[in-house]
Amino acid sequence: MADTLDLVAVALFEQQHGHELAGSLFFRAWAIREAALGQNRPDVADSLHHLALSLYSDNVSFAIPLLLRSKEIREKVFGHDHPSVADSLHAMARLYEAHSRRDLAIPLYQQALTIQEKVFGPNALETRQVRNNLEMAHQEMDH
């Protein structure tokens, strides 16, 4: 059930006006997964990640704790140098940057970039995306 809710929520989230409905489905998927699987599972981390971005992207004080928890679960399950951990760091950095907190975003971009370079190499798409965001954040700080 949680997987189906998650798939529908992802499809809605990609729609311009589907974020709020997607958020409620991500919330339900998270609740089901955590009740059925326990707190420290990768699927729970994914649900928290999606929930933070869909429902709380306009409110850093709600979103960041969910993204931090998602990152902590991913670190426990996969280790500190896993691409999923980099995804959490990258999401937090983008969220901070969207709320004009580049001072908090830049170190997170740097951590994500270190992981991406180690895992995928310096020229991979994933690595270039994080590097570009880091460079733009630095440029904005300089202005």
Side-chain angles (χ1 to χ4, degrees), residues 116-137:
Q116 297 291 37
E117 286 178 338
K118 186 182 289 186
V119 173
F120 297 114
N123 297 318
L125 178 63
E126 298 89 344
T127 306
R128 289 194 320 258
Q129 182 180 22
V130 175
R131 186 182 303 110
N132 289 341
N133 288 341
L134 175 60
E135 289 171 0
M136 288 190 306

Side-chain angles (χ1 to χ4, degrees), residues 75-87:
E75 284 176 334
K76 282 181 184 178
V77 173
F78 301 123
H80 296 288
D81 292 334
H82 192 273
S84 293
V85 174
D87 288 344

Side-chain angles (χ1 to χ4, degrees), residues 45-91:
D46 292 346
S47 290
L48 290 167
H49 187 98
H50 292 140
L51 182 60
L53 298 179
S54 63
L55 276 185
Y56 302 120
S57 61
D58 61 341
N59 189 330
V60 174
S61 64
F62 286 140
I64 291 298
L66 295 175
L67 289 170
L68 279 171
R69 184 161 171 234
S70 175
K71 179 184 83 72
E72 289 167 359
I73 293 168
R74 289 170 170 177
E75 284 176 334
K76 282 181 184 178
V77 173
F78 301 123
H80 296 288
D81 292 334
H82 192 273
S84 293
V85 174
D87 288 344
S88 294
L89 292 165
H90 191 218

Side-chain angles (χ1 to χ4, degrees), residues 3-4 13-14 16 25 40 45 54 58 62 68 75 78-79 90 94 98 104-105 121 124 134 138 140:
D3 291 344
T4 301
F13 187 72
E14 292 173 357
Q16 186 175 5
L25 294 176
N40 295 316
S54 63
D58 61 341
F62 286 140
L68 279 171
E75 284 176 334
F78 301 123
H90 191 218
R94 292 190 62 172
L104 298 174
L134 175 60
H138 275 297
E140 291 296 321

